[in-house]
Amino acid sequence: MNIAVLLSGGVDSSVVVHLLCEQGHRPSLFYIKIGKDDADYMDCSAEEDLEMASAVARRYGLSLEVVDLHREYWDNVATYAIDKVRRGLTPNPDVMCNKLIKFGCFERYAGKDFDFTATGHYAATILQNGKVWLGTALDPVKDQTDFLAQIDYLQVSKLMFPLGGLMKQEVRDIALKAKLPSARRRDSQGICFLGKINYNDFVRRFLGEKEGRIIELETGKILGTHRGYWFHTIGQRKGLGLGGGPWFVVRKDTDENVIYVSRGYETEQQYGYEFSMQDFHFITENPWEGVEGEIPVTFKIRHTPDFIGGKLLQDGDGYRIVSEEKLQGIAPGQFGVVYDEASRLCIGSGEIKYSIPLNPQYPLS
Ligand SMILES: Nc1ncnc2c1ncn2[C@@H]1O[C@H](COP(=O)(O)OP(=O)(O)OP(=O)(O)O)[C@@H](O)[C@H]1O
């Protein structure tokens, strides 16, 4: 079997190489290089990553190719992120990086020549009814299926996730025992290349700064100023610079450059039970084809270990989720990721369009 491994130089993908070699494979290794734009907001860990990847390749006597996807990344993922932020939405660059870069451009460049592409993502592939499905990882804290929820059938059917059945601690133990050069490296944030840069600096470079008002939603009282709605996201608590909190961002008016906040953990303004999704994407296929009415599912609206129970409803051309529990900070632009009731299969995802607040007072932006 002909296998390509996406090797980042981190502990996870290094263990993937180790495990595949132990099983008798001789995978080809690929390091994806995304250079910094021409600005100075990327740290030097990228160089260290490549050194680590080279050390792993040497250790196992495998070939390592550096694939430069710099242009593709900035043209696709960075442009997508800026476009969303400009429109007051909360982008998810990790989701787009997996879909377009790690498994999109890479597949066209090199992956196409291999039977499988293996990565250190915490996820699984599951064969069911003759089709390959994206499955959740054994380790709920590390599960990364939410970042993979926009990949397509060609991608999922060619992917291998050798770490899906392991807990993170087991992976570390394997790395230590095998004396892998990367064994003691700290965990990356689980975020894509954009995670290596200062996000505010990145946004500032493209959208600049523009002072606007921070207003208390319930009273209309002006509490302070901010430097542009694009630096803030729905559900955000930190970085508002207001005393007497906690304060949460609950609305954004992009036309007026106003941020609405609400005070206290229990404030109803920051919660909702429902949201709609647009452009819903099924990874393998729609398992509920022809099913009428409410479908019991679990779902996530952000990268957390918890799967939330709810119902999926067809809503015109799109889909809507009605949650069993109150949801904090439903951020339009993020993905609603849908799983089967047992949270075993990741079915697909759609971009959150708007939330239906419990007590709407202002039109949503
Ligand atoms: N620069 C890169 N080049 C090649 N593959 C990469 C690169 N960055 C990430 N990957 C692949 O995507 C997987 C998930 O990446 P993520 O950024 O979430 O890191 P991670 O889970 O901490 O994994 P690792 O410890 O291997 O860095 C990695 O395990 C690796 O297979």
Side-chain angles (χ1 to χ4, degrees):
M1 203 192 314
N2 213 352
I3 304 173
V5 174
L6 288 180
L7 180 61
S8 67
V11 63
D12 293 331
S13 45
S14 304
V15 169
V16 166
V17 174
H18 173 78
L19 293 176
L20 289 174
C21 287
E22 272 204 326
Q23 290 163 17
H25 299 293
R26 299 278 306 151
S28 302
L29 314 180
F30 294 89
Y31 175 85
I32 299 175
K33 189 173 138 207
I34 313 284
K36 53 187 175 191
D37 197 14
D38 47 4
D40 209 13
Y41 42 68
M42 201 156 183
D43 66 24
C44 60
S45 73
E47 276 163 39
E48 196 184 310
D49 287 343
L50 183 53
E51 270 171 37
M52 282 290 169
S54 307
V56 171
R58 269 198 308 278
R59 159 85 184 271
Y60 291 92
L62 300 170
S63 68
L64 173 72
E65 189 180 328
V66 178
V67 184
D68 188 342
L69 295 179
H70 175 84
R71 200 57 280 143
E72 289 80 354
Y73 183 80
W74 286 95
D75 286 353
N76 290 284
V77 182
T79 307
Y80 147 85
I82 288 296
D83 176 57
K84 294 287 175 198
V85 173
R86 181 181 284 125
R87 292 196 276 139
L89 303 168
T90 307
N92 194 325
D94 300 283
V95 170
M96 286 304 160
C97 181
N98 282 326
K99 176 192 169 85
L100 302 171
I101 303 298
K102 283 184 196 161
F103 307 134
C105 295
F106 176 76
E107 169 67 20
R108 287 190 292 280
Y109 173 80
K112 61 178 171 32
D113 301 326
F114 292 84
D115 301 320
F116 287 98
T117 295
T119 75
H121 284 103
Y122 286 79
T125 54
I126 294 177
L127 189 63
Q128 192 167 293
N129 301 333
K131 294 223 157 123
V132 182
W133 299 76
L134 181 65
T136 49
L138 180 72
D139 189 335
V141 175
K142 294 302 293 182
D143 181 73
Q144 287 175 309
T145 47
D146 51 328
F147 292 148
L148 296 164
Q150 280 278 316
I151 62 174
D152 63 23
Y153 190 69
L154 171 74
Q155 293 171 330
V156 74
S157 59
K158 276 197 68 176
L159 284 170
M160 269 178 131
F161 301 117
L163 307 187
L166 297 170
M167 300 298 286
K168 177 76 193 202
Q169 191 52 48
E170 291 179 89
V171 173
R172 280 218 175 270
D173 292 345
I174 293 171
L176 287 170
K177 226 164 137 197
K179 297 195 172 57
L180 293 182
S182 51
R184 292 187 192 281
R185 291 194 82 192
R186 65 183 159 84
D187 261 5
S188 63
Q189 301 297 302
I191 10 186
C192 193
F193 304 96
L194 276 182
K196 294 194 199 295
I197 64 184
N198 178 321
Y199 195 72
N200 277 352
D201 287 351
F202 166 73
V203 172
R204 185 178 295 108
R205 190 171 126 76
F206 287 90
L207 300 179
E209 288 188 0
K210 186 176 171 207
E211 194 172 283
R213 286 164 298 159
I214 302 179
I215 297 180
E216 184 174 18
L217 184 76
E218 292 82 355
T219 61
K221 207 168 127 193
I222 299 172
L223 301 175
T225 57
H226 61 85
R227 291 173 173 193
Y229 65 80
W230 42 90
F231 294 112
H232 301 282
T233 192
I234 304 286
Q236 174 189 342
R237 182 154 84 93
K238 296 205 171 91
L240 287 166
L242 303 173
W247 294 96
F248 291 89
V249 175
V250 289
R251 300 273 165 80
K252 293 195 282 186
D253 182 333
T254 54
D255 291 337
E256 299 295 326
N257 191 23
V258 171
I259 286 183
Y260 291 98
V261 295
S262 205
R263 190 199 336 223
Y265 290 106
E266 293 308 321
T267 167
E268 295 290 276
Q269 296 301 340
Q270 58 150 331
Y271 294 104
Y273 281 98
E274 300 190 23
F275 59 90
S276 291
M277 294 171 284
Q278 62 190 16
D279 302 326
F280 195 87
H281 169 75
F282 289 99
I283 298 169
T284 300
E285 63 184 11
N286 179 358
W288 304 296
E289 192 69 63
V291 177
E292 303 254 318
E294 301 175 343
I295 299 160
V297 294
T298 57
F299 68 96
K300 289 187 184 187
I301 56 167
R302 60 171 65 82
H303 186 61
T304 56
D306 307 308
F307 297 90
I308 305 164
K311 307 256 183 271
L312 181 71
L313 294 103
Q314 186 103 33
D315 189 12
D317 288 346
Y319 286 90
R320 188 155 53 96
I321 292 265
V322 179
S323 173
E324 279 168 9
E325 48 187 88
K326 274 193 212 173
L327 303 169
Q328 189 252 336
I330 305 170
Q334 285 282 11
F335 288 93
V337 181
V338 176
Y339 299 82
D340 64 351
E341 215 181 345
S343 311
R344 181 171 159 266
L345 299 181
C346 177
I347 305 297
S349 61
E351 190 181 308
I352 296 173
K353 240 184 353 190
Y354 58 87
S355 56
I356 302 166
L358 293 177
N359 183 16
Q361 293 186 4
Y362 292 81
L364 289 168
S365 62

